[in-house]
Amino acid sequence: MNIGARVLKTGLSVTLAIFLSQFFGFPSSLITAVAAILTIQPSIYRSWQQILDQVQTNLLGAGIALAAMKVFGHTPIAVGLVCIAVILICIRLKMEATIGVTLVMVIAIMEAHGQGLDVALQRFLMVLTGMGAAFTINVLVFPPRPRKQFTEQVHLAYGQMSLLLRTAVSNEMKESVFRQEKETLHVSVRKLEDRYTLFEEERKVLAHAKKSHARQLLVSKQTIKALQKGVDLLEVVEEHYFAAAGAGKWAQRFDNQIEELTKYHESILLKIEGKMKPNLSFEPEEEREARLITDLTDYFREGRDEHKRLVFVASAIFEYAYHLRRLEKLVDQVQQRGMSPEEWTAETNASGREAKVSTQE
């Protein structure tokens, strides 16, 4: 079993929080440790944003808790009502991520049985200490490398998709294996979309490189779009190809077309990393696509409804090809605007030292 970076950081954050709690002489390290656990986020940017939000909601929660104790006392019903109020306020402020730590803070203050502002302040400092410990570990241990991790996730998703596409028409893979691999592919694409969201947040903190980062975001977004169209093609083949009458006559042509597109897709990914020779491309011939369209049109004129299913397959193939060509054009434009493939790759590999957003496991 592999231990992910986030799991390790959580353990280290708790350890540091307990040490700090003992150093500052807090009566208990429980609140500090819980705050550290709930502050760990998948990126430094989100950790910092959460700390800012936590300070606001915790101050508000502490004020509500102290006021409620003066009015209602510290009965269980009062604690429950205050928790409900705090949750509603956090949701209203669109700070849902702060609810956990804020509730810990509120309960800790009300559990002190009205011992005064000194105890409330002390427990607020305990929460801040836990959040500070988590943020420190998140910054210092395994610095974030969002672009490199995004690229690795792209290659993982492409490898899974390519295998399924190249065997979809020929139907060579066992049904159970195919289903399992397809589900794994969907999970990979969803993870890739989450990583892109974190990657996109990097622009908010990289003021010195906003233009180059914006261009990379365009390429990254189109990279995901191309992968999604490949997944869509896989779904269409499964749903329509085998239900079409006479589909076997088109198996070789469809298979060849898909094989060319997957190779083309791979070459674009290599071009993004600067591993391809200049002016080299595996773009499929558009004349071959035109001939396929012409032949399919003649086939559809036979009038059988079953034949029409193949139009969905052909349409998905052409759409996948369109988005691949669009991706290559974007890559060429970015690399022609002052960023060579080597600079692109170097910036990607060095992003862990420069960026303030991470996408840990």
Side-chain angles (χ1 to χ4, degrees):
M1 180 182 295
N2 294 327
I3 299 178
R6 191 172 179 183
V7 174
L8 180 60
K9 287 186 176 186
T10 300
L12 292 175
S13 298
V14 171
T15 302
L16 180 58
I18 294 174
F19 276 128
L20 291 175
S21 181
Q22 294 173 350
F23 177 79
F24 291 122
F26 294 143
S28 172
S29 58
L30 177 61
I31 296 176
T32 309
V34 171
I37 293 172
L38 296 178
T39 304
I40 286 291
Q41 293 291 314
S43 73
I44 293 176
Y45 172 80
R46 289 189 180 181
S47 292
W48 176 247
Q49 187 63 48
Q50 190 188 40
I51 288 177
L52 296 179
D53 294 343
Q54 288 285 7
V55 171
Q56 300 176 55
T57 56
N58 274 273
L59 285 173
L60 187 59
I64 294 174
L66 291 172
M69 282 194 300
K70 289 185 178 296
V71 177
F72 304 108
H74 52 270
T75 64
I77 294 178
V79 175
L81 290 175
V82 171
C83 289
I84 293 174
V86 168
I87 291 172
L88 293 176
I89 291 173
C90 290
I91 293 175
R92 182 69 176 178
L93 296 175
K94 297 182 179 180
M95 297 179 181
E96 292 87 346
T98 67
I99 290 176
V101 178
T102 305
L103 290 180
V104 170
M105 172 71 180
V106 168
I107 294 172
I109 291 176
M110 299 191 73
E111 182 267 341
H113 303 294
Q115 296 180 26
L117 289 175
D118 291 341
V119 173
L121 179 60
Q122 183 187 65
R123 300 199 172 183
F124 180 69
L125 292 176
M126 292 167 70
V127 171
L128 289 182
T129 301
M131 292 190 295
F135 182 77
T136 301
I137 293 297
N138 211 19
V139 172
L140 298 180
V141 180
F142 299 116
R145 308 186 72 174
R147 303 176 195 178
K148 184 174 185 296
Q149 292 176 339
F150 179 84
T151 301
E152 290 173 352
Q153 188 67 30
V154 167
H155 280 284
L156 176 62
Y158 165 76
Q160 296 166 342
M161 184 195 71
S162 175
L163 173 63
L164 293 173
L165 278 178
R166 286 185 284 107
T167 59
V169 174
S170 58
N171 199 22
E172 298 168 339
M173 192 176 291
K174 291 182 178 179
E175 185 69 21
S176 59
V177 177
F178 182 87
R179 294 290 180 188
Q180 184 177 357
E181 291 293 328
K182 191 172 74 168
E183 180 60 32
T184 303
L185 172 61
H186 285 299
V187 172
S188 295
V189 173
R190 286 196 296 270
K191 285 183 178 180
L192 186 60
E193 292 171 347
D194 293 338
R195 289 178 185 243
Y196 173 80
T197 301
L198 294 173
F199 185 27
E200 188 176 27
E201 291 174 350
E202 186 182 32
R203 190 181 183 188
K204 300 176 183 178
V205 292
L206 288 182
H208 66 282
K210 281 192 174 181
K211 288 186 177 180
S212 63
H213 190 68
R215 290 194 293 266
Q216 291 180 25
L217 281 176
L218 287 174
V219 173
S220 299
K221 189 172 184 178
Q222 184 59 31
T223 299
I224 296 176
K225 188 72 172 180
L227 282 168
Q228 289 173 334
K229 292 304 176 181
V231 175
D232 291 344
L233 171 57
L234 187 65
E235 298 287 352
V236 169
V237 169
E238 185 179 12
E239 181 177 358
H240 294 288
Y241 174 77
F242 296 104
K249 300 177 182 179
W250 299 89
Q252 189 64 43
R253 297 185 67 176
F254 280 155
D255 201 37
N256 291 340
Q257 198 73 29
I258 293 174
E259 180 75 21
E260 283 190 358
L261 290 177
T262 55
K263 288 182 179 179
Y264 181 41
H265 198 160
E266 183 180 28
S267 73
I268 297 173
L269 297 181
L270 292 174
K271 178 182 287 189
I272 291 175
E273 297 182 68
K275 295 180 180 179
M276 293 287 290
K277 292 181 179 180
N279 303 320
L280 186 63
S281 175
F282 289 92
E283 181 180 357
E285 296 179 4
E286 294 190 22
E287 292 183 2
R288 181 178 299 178
E289 294 180 5
R291 289 196 300 271
L292 180 60
I293 293 173
T294 302
D295 294 343
L296 278 172
T297 301
D298 294 338
Y299 188 63
F300 297 151
R301 286 173 180 168
E302 294 181 11
R304 295 185 59 181
D305 290 338
E306 295 85 351
H307 293 177
K308 296 178 181 178
R309 284 182 174 269
L310 293 179
V311 75
F312 296 111
V313 180
S315 177
I317 290 175
F318 300 144
E319 190 168 8
Y320 179 38
Y322 167 78
H323 283 282
L324 287 178
R325 290 188 174 98
R326 186 177 180 185
L327 174 59
E328 186 178 34
K329 289 179 181 178
L330 275 175
V331 173
D332 291 339
Q333 289 173 2
V334 168
Q335 293 181 350
Q336 288 170 5
R337 289 182 180 180
M339 183 177 291
S340 66
E342 291 77 11
E343 291 172 333
W344 177 286
T345 304
E347 185 171 346
T348 297
N349 292 335
S351 61
R353 297 186 295 273
E354 301 174 353
K356 296 183 180 179
V357 178
S358 71
T359 51
Q360 290 97 340
E361 294 293 336

